[in-house]
Amino acid sequence: MSSGATELRSLRSQFPEHRAQLGLSLRVTIAALSGFAFSHLLKVPLPLWTVLTAVVLTQATFGRSMKATVDYLVGTLGGAVYAGVVAVLVPHSNDVSLAGVLALAVAPLAFLGAVYPSFSVAPLTGVLVLLVPRFVHVGPIESAVDRVLEVSVGAIIALAVSLLVLPARAHSFVIEGAARTLDLMAGSLPELFEGFIRPRDAAAIARIQDSIGEAVARTQASAAEAKHERIVFLAAEPDHGPLLSTLTRLRHDLVMIGLAAAEPLPESLQARLGPLLARVAQTSADQLRGRGEALAGRRDPASLEGVEAAFDHYAEAIASVGSEGLTQGLPVDALERIFTLGFALDQMRQDLRDLDRCASEIAGRRSTPARMHAGAVKAN
């Protein structure tokens, strides 16, 4: 009994972690059942295609469902029209001639789908338009119209379910993805900076850089989906462009820092610059993590005072090193790495300021309705 209760508690504890997956599972199930019900209610010729369309187009977010639906409808309409015209104009009374018509219809549609992803479903639609009449005894034009009708019903169901049943917004995915990316960057900074003091494993650094690049790419993909939501909802949400640009630049900053830290600093500079670089790494990591938390909570970020001071101290130290002639006689590659590091730190400093503005803008947009409501109550 105790073991069963423990397993039940463990299962419940996993629900919050898989809430998005459970929500998608529920939406897909409802979409499938709704497609089945409406296909019979509307007497759709091929209910299977309506149900499949509803399932395929019910995605993790409404924005993704919207994009998938537009692409699917475009591909279906193009494939149905072209295959229907080919079927009408080219006789195919036997299997041999039908095979020729099938090739004539599918080949251009497959090429079109390869060039334009929006038409990827067109070849499949063409096949259905040509072959279904052999089994249900309808004309090619009627078959084409039926395919468009079946897909349209499934698409409408998918959009309705995505919008009404536990809706997930791509805009939220963008903010959450940005927060996770910043947290990943924050965790990577100390390890990257450690390369200025001691040799680091190049393969491990490459894995860090790749994981950050993948996180930025996922956030950019969510932002592309969010554009479709803004059209539908006419939402006054902030443009994700500045945030995405800042994330991309920060990712480039870390790449440059990784290149500069490919080898440790010359021993003559480590004692002087090592602690200051460690301070820059720690304060920058704190700021990145804090900005991620501010984005996720839609609240104003904390002050940049600590990290600004760390950058200033390093800049003063590197200027003193130069004025004291400590860089004279260093190998060219060491000088290049020191220059690259200085440039990367200047860029990262500016990018942290830009990130600060992005977080403040998102927090401001979030709080605007509440402020307006409070002002109206006060006025009344």
Side-chain angles (χ1 to χ4, degrees):
M1 187 70 177
S2 176
S3 176
T6 301
E7 291 179 0
L8 180 60
R9 284 195 299 270
S10 176
L11 185 61
R12 287 175 178 174
S13 67
Q14 294 178 12
F15 280 174
E17 299 179 8
H18 301 287
R19 183 168 52 186
Q21 292 83 354
L22 290 171
L24 176 60
S25 175
L26 178 62
R27 288 195 297 274
V28 170
T29 302
I30 293 177
L33 295 176
S34 300
F36 182 75
F38 276 95
S39 63
H40 284 281
L41 182 65
L42 300 176
K43 300 187 184 303
V44 172
L46 193 60
L48 170 65
W49 202 240
T50 299
V51 175
L52 287 177
T53 301
V55 168
V56 168
L57 298 183
T58 303
Q59 301 287 319
T61 66
F62 179 76
R64 193 178 301 176
S65 291
M66 187 70 185
K67 182 181 186 304
T69 297
V70 171
D71 291 345
Y72 211 81
L73 288 177
V74 168
T76 297
L77 183 60
V81 170
Y82 177 74
V85 170
V86 170
V88 170
L89 296 181
V90 182
H92 48 284
S93 56
N94 54 56
D95 290 342
V96 175
S97 59
L98 178 60
V101 171
L102 189 63
L104 183 62
V106 171
L109 292 176
F111 177 79
L112 188 65
V115 176
Y116 301 102
S118 296
F119 287 91
S120 59
V121 74
L124 180 58
T125 301
V127 170
L128 289 174
V129 168
L130 289 172
L131 296 185
V132 167
R134 298 294 297 270
F135 304 102
V136 297
H137 306 294
V138 297
I141 298 300
E142 185 179 356
S143 177
V145 172
D146 289 344
R147 297 298 78 73
V148 174
L149 173 62
E150 292 154 4
V151 168
S152 297
V153 172
I156 292 172
I157 290 172
L159 286 179
V161 170
S162 297
L163 182 62
L164 300 176
V165 180
L166 300 178
R169 298 286 303 279
H171 170 71
S172 299
F173 277 43
V174 174
I175 303 303
E176 293 170 5
R180 287 194 296 269
T181 302
L182 292 173
D183 186 68
L184 182 60
M185 290 179 176
S188 303
L189 267 181
E191 187 166 356
L192 290 176
F193 272 82
E194 194 174 341
F196 294 112
I197 304 301
R198 58 182 59 86
R200 303 298 299 157
D201 181 7
I205 298 301
R207 286 193 294 271
I208 291 174
Q209 301 287 15
D210 289 344
S211 64
I212 294 174
E214 292 168 0
V216 172
R218 286 193 296 269
T219 305
Q220 291 172 336
S222 296
E225 297 167 7
K227 290 181 179 179
H228 297 278
E229 293 182 349
R230 297 184 68 181
I231 295 174
V232 173
F233 294 109
L234 299 177
E237 293 163 347
D239 180 18
H240 297 124
L243 177 60
L244 294 176
S245 297
T246 303
L247 286 177
T248 301
R249 292 197 304 273
L250 283 167
R251 187 260 190 281
H252 293 161
D253 297 339
L254 267 60
V255 170
M256 286 192 291
I257 290 171
L259 292 174
E263 293 183 15
L265 291 170
E267 293 184 4
S268 58
L269 300 180
Q270 286 190 19
R272 186 86 166 262
L273 301 179
L276 297 176
L277 286 174
R279 180 61 181 165
V280 168
Q282 187 58 55
T283 55
S284 297
D286 291 341
Q287 290 297 331
L288 288 172
R289 192 172 289 110
R291 265 58 190 167
E293 294 172 355
L295 283 171
R298 274 60 160 191
R299 63 176 184 270
D300 289 324
S303 171
L304 283 170
E305 182 178 355
V307 72
E308 291 279 7
F311 281 118
D312 285 338
H313 292 157
Y314 176 78
E316 293 169 0
I318 199 67
S320 297
V321 165
S323 63
E324 295 170 15
L326 297 180
T327 57
Q328 295 180 3
L330 292 179
V332 174
D333 60 336
L335 291 174
E336 289 178 347
R337 290 196 301 275
I338 292 173
F339 175 80
T340 300
L341 172 61
F343 179 77
L345 293 181
D346 287 341
Q347 291 297 114
M348 188 165 69
R349 185 176 195 172
Q350 182 58 52
D351 293 336
L352 285 173
R353 293 169 180 169
D354 293 341
L355 181 62
D356 199 63
R357 285 193 289 270
C358 292
S360 297
E361 180 184 0
I362 291 173
R365 293 294 184 93
R366 167 93 176 204
S367 60
T368 295
R371 290 172 183 169
M372 292 176 63
H373 177 69
V377 171
K378 184 176 180 180
N380 291 332

